[in-house]
Amino acid sequence: MLRAAVILLFVANVLAFAWHKGWIARATPTAPRLEQQLHPERMTLLNQKAVSQLSARSCLELGPLMGDELLKRATAALTAAGVPAGAVEARSVDTGGVWALATIKMPSKEFRERKEETYRNARIAFEPLQGFPDEQPTLVLSKHDSEDAAQAALDALSKRNYRGLRVLRLQEPLRQTTLRLARLDGLQVGKLNAISNPPWGEKRKECDASAPAASEASAANGAGSSASR
């Protein structure tokens, strides 16, 4: 009996020594929990200010942005600020271009002087064409928000025997887009505020997140026929 007890005690001591040296631990597989730990050193705690910013909600409207290139730049800036694409409501309208009833490119100074004298005597308003170096010198008699309107003005003067006139496009039709961000948190607003020279410039205003978005028709009224005169 005593001999058996001594043997058991010896075996127990050998096992304890092996465990202490790590021989037994190295033989066992790595615990799954150790492989799946979340790297706590990478985690940071939010302070009270950051928590308050996350809970704050704002509604902003950016634009209108003229053309596709400006819209692309604005979308990239919002993505960099952490605003998901699903949180951006885009409203687009096509604005009319600008067409002019203009003279032909006048071949000489004397020709221009004769034209100006003719229009003054007929009390037809005119002004020099601006921004088209290859078309100088040219006089603009009227501007219109559609090509058809400019053509109608040309036809009317042609019936009165005025020659040397044409329809000239001054501005191509453009698409303007307004971006509505109805549920921005304070951190996102802070990132937007930190953007230097944002694509939307000063075209930014607060909006009511609970109010329905403005219709495209009402947005188009601001860019409609103001060019016609």
Side-chain angles (χ1 to χ4, degrees):
M1 186 70 179
L2 180 60
R3 186 176 181 180
V6 171
I7 293 173
L8 289 175
L9 182 59
F10 174 80
V11 172
N13 286 334
V14 171
L15 292 174
F17 180 80
W19 181 269
H20 179 72
K21 289 294 186 180
W23 297 338
I24 297 178
R26 282 195 294 268
T28 58
T30 304
R33 291 183 181 179
L34 294 179
E35 295 178 348
Q36 299 173 6
Q37 60 182 344
L38 299 178
H39 302 287
E41 73 278 1
R42 300 179 186 174
M43 301 177 67
T44 58
L45 295 177
L46 295 178
N47 56 32
Q48 186 59 42
K49 180 180 179 180
V51 172
S52 300
Q53 288 179 322
L54 281 173
S55 61
R57 288 292 180 268
S58 300
C59 179
L60 292 178
E61 283 191 359
L62 309 177
L65 309 171
M66 301 300 295
D68 293 336
E69 180 60 29
L70 197 58
L71 175 60
K72 186 183 299 183
R73 289 171 49 202
T75 302
L78 292 176
T79 301
V83 180
V88 181
E89 177 189 354
R91 304 194 310 274
S92 298
V93 293
D94 292 325
T95 62
V98 180
W99 284 263
L101 171 59
T103 66
I104 60 173
K105 181 178 177 180
M106 293 175 285
S108 66
K109 180 180 178 181
E110 292 74 18
F111 185 89
R112 175 177 179 173
E113 289 175 348
R114 289 200 306 270
K115 283 290 185 181
E116 290 179 350
E117 183 65 22
T118 298
Y119 296 143
R120 288 194 191 97
N121 292 337
R123 295 183 179 181
I124 298 175
F126 62 88
E127 63 183 14
L129 175 66
Q130 303 291 336
F132 292 79
D134 294 338
E135 297 292 344
Q136 301 300 334
T138 294
L139 299 177
V140 173
L141 278 61
S142 59
K143 295 180 181 178
H144 307 269
D145 59 1
S146 71
E147 186 175 8
D148 289 343
Q151 185 62 48
L154 174 60
D155 294 341
L157 286 183
S158 297
K159 291 179 181 178
R160 295 168 58 186
N161 293 322
Y162 287 95
R163 300 290 182 262
L165 298 175
R166 58 177 169 159
V167 171
L168 181 64
R169 185 171 64 185
L170 302 183
Q171 178 181 305
E172 294 184 4
L174 289 176
R175 171 162 292 192
Q176 68 176 20
T177 303
T178 299
L179 302 179
R180 189 169 187 266
L181 317 174
R183 293 189 59 81
L184 291 176
D185 61 45
L187 293 178
Q188 292 168 332
V189 173
K191 290 180 179 179
L192 292 182
N193 293 338
I195 298 176
S196 59
N197 299 320
W200 46 86
E202 299 296 327
K203 297 177 181 179
R204 165 179 162 171
K205 65 179 182 179
E206 295 184 358
C207 54
D208 184 359
S210 61
S215 66
E216 292 186 2
S218 62
N221 288 338
S225 57
S226 60
S228 178
R229 64 177 185 221

